[in-house]
Amino acid sequence: MESLTLGQYEFIYNALSFGIATMAAATLFFWLSRDSVAPKYRAALVISGLVTFIAAYHYWRIFGSWSDAFVVNAGAGTVELSGQKFNDAYRYVDWLLTVPLLLVELILVMGLTRAETISKGVRLGALAALMVALGYPGEIATDMNSRLLWGGLSMIPFLFILYELFVGLRGSISSQPEEARGLVRLAIWVTVLSWSFYPIVFFAPLLFGAGNANIATMSGSAAMIVQVGYTIADIVAKAGFGVLIFMIASAKSHEWRAKHIGSDAG
């Protein structure tokens, strides 16, 4: 890696550490909150916790790989390569598992019919997995043209996902309880905006003079933008989105309890 300063190294180190802590804390929150919502929506919280659990594990692996890839001399203020490769593929393994699950948890908390849940969950999950798979060759590419090509290809399933979220789910959103409808729309916008941040980070080496698209040889500034940028996007898209799923489940649980308790009382 070219010209990585001690400050840049520590900034990435601390960001990855913060990612581990955030994902682990979110996992505990979602799983411990499971019984506070109606049974119908508990699966969504279980999956929310699964997403952040998978992310916490992979952030731990990324953090370890980052630490092992460098030798830090704090006294001299220098950072040198240790000879061990920094394995950034952990991110894509994580995304291949968690990105489809993020869309599934949204579908589950909306409480659609079984047929709609299966059909929309499979379609959106497959598109999400394809988007991640097409992005990986560009992430490890050694030239900018390949990064552009694969990055552009990964945007195609992303556009289909946008269509499904804003058009395919329009009728389903309208059928949501009034107190949850705004939260569902907000969850969709958080998904779209946070996921839109990933392509910006992906193409960051083009804008910041990386010299090479590969993480092993890009400039320190570009590496910092990529690693910290992905971490911020992950925290919003997984932990932040999960909190919205919990809020939707809680709002819909009030209506569910009023309906069922009221009918039982009658």
Side-chain angles (χ1 to χ4, degrees):
M1 186 172 296
E2 300 176 7
S3 61
L4 183 72
T5 67
L6 180 60
Q8 290 168 339
Y9 170 84
E10 290 181 338
F11 195 52
I12 294 172
Y13 181 96
N14 291 329
L16 295 175
S17 178
F18 183 72
I20 297 171
T22 302
M23 298 302 182
T27 299
L28 289 175
F29 173 76
F30 297 140
W31 285 348
L32 291 175
S33 299
R34 174 184 176 274
D35 291 337
S36 68
V37 302
K40 185 176 183 180
Y41 308 112
R42 288 174 185 170
L45 286 188
V46 171
I47 292 179
S48 294
L50 181 61
V51 165
T52 50
F53 175 79
I54 293 170
Y57 167 76
H58 284 104
Y59 265 91
W60 173 65
R61 297 302 300 266
I62 295 169
F63 179 82
S65 182
W66 180 261
S67 300
D68 293 341
F70 300 94
V71 176
V72 179
N73 187 332
T78 60
V79 180
E80 298 177 357
L81 292 171
S82 67
Q84 295 190 49
K85 180 184 176 182
F86 171 57
N87 188 359
D88 208 29
Y90 289 126
R91 286 198 184 276
Y92 277 81
V93 175
D94 172 81
W95 292 339
L96 194 60
L97 296 170
T98 59
V99 172
L101 288 175
L102 286 168
L103 295 173
V104 169
E105 66 185 84
L106 175 63
I107 298 301
L108 284 174
V109 83
M110 290 180 70
L112 307 179
T113 64
R114 180 179 175 81
E116 284 181 303
T117 298
I118 293 173
S119 134
K120 293 183 183 298
V122 169
R123 185 162 60 250
L124 285 168
L127 286 169
L130 180 61
M131 176 180 68
V132 173
L134 288 172
Y136 181 64
E139 192 73 62
I140 62 173
T142 56
D143 64 277
M144 290 299 180
N145 287 335
S146 294
R147 195 175 186 90
L148 281 170
L149 171 64
W150 289 104
L153 289 174
S154 71
M155 292 297 293
I156 296 173
F158 178 61
L159 293 175
F160 277 102
I161 290 172
L162 291 185
Y163 177 84
E164 288 289 338
L165 291 176
F166 284 111
V167 179
L169 290 178
R170 183 182 298 162
S172 302
I173 294 171
S174 300
S175 67
Q176 296 295 302
E178 186 176 350
E179 58 185 306
R181 202 174 301 151
L183 288 170
V184 172
R185 289 195 180 98
L186 179 59
I188 289 175
W189 274 107
V190 167
T191 300
V192 171
L193 294 176
S194 61
W195 286 20
S196 297
F197 192 62
Y198 287 97
I200 295 173
V201 177
F202 182 90
F203 291 117
L206 293 169
L207 305 174
F208 293 91
N212 194 299
N214 193 282
I215 186 69
T217 52
M218 67 173 56
S219 68
S221 297
M224 185 176 70
I225 291 166
V226 167
Q227 294 304 315
V228 176
Y230 280 152
T231 301
I232 293 171
D234 274 346
I235 288 172
V236 174
K238 295 172 184 175
F241 179 76
V243 170
L244 280 173
I245 294 297
F246 168 73
M247 292 171 66
I248 294 168
S250 296
K252 297 183 73 172
S253 293
H254 291 314
E255 182 194 48
W256 184 90
R257 289 191 180 102
K259 180 179 178 180
H260 286 75
I261 292 173
S263 62
D264 290 343

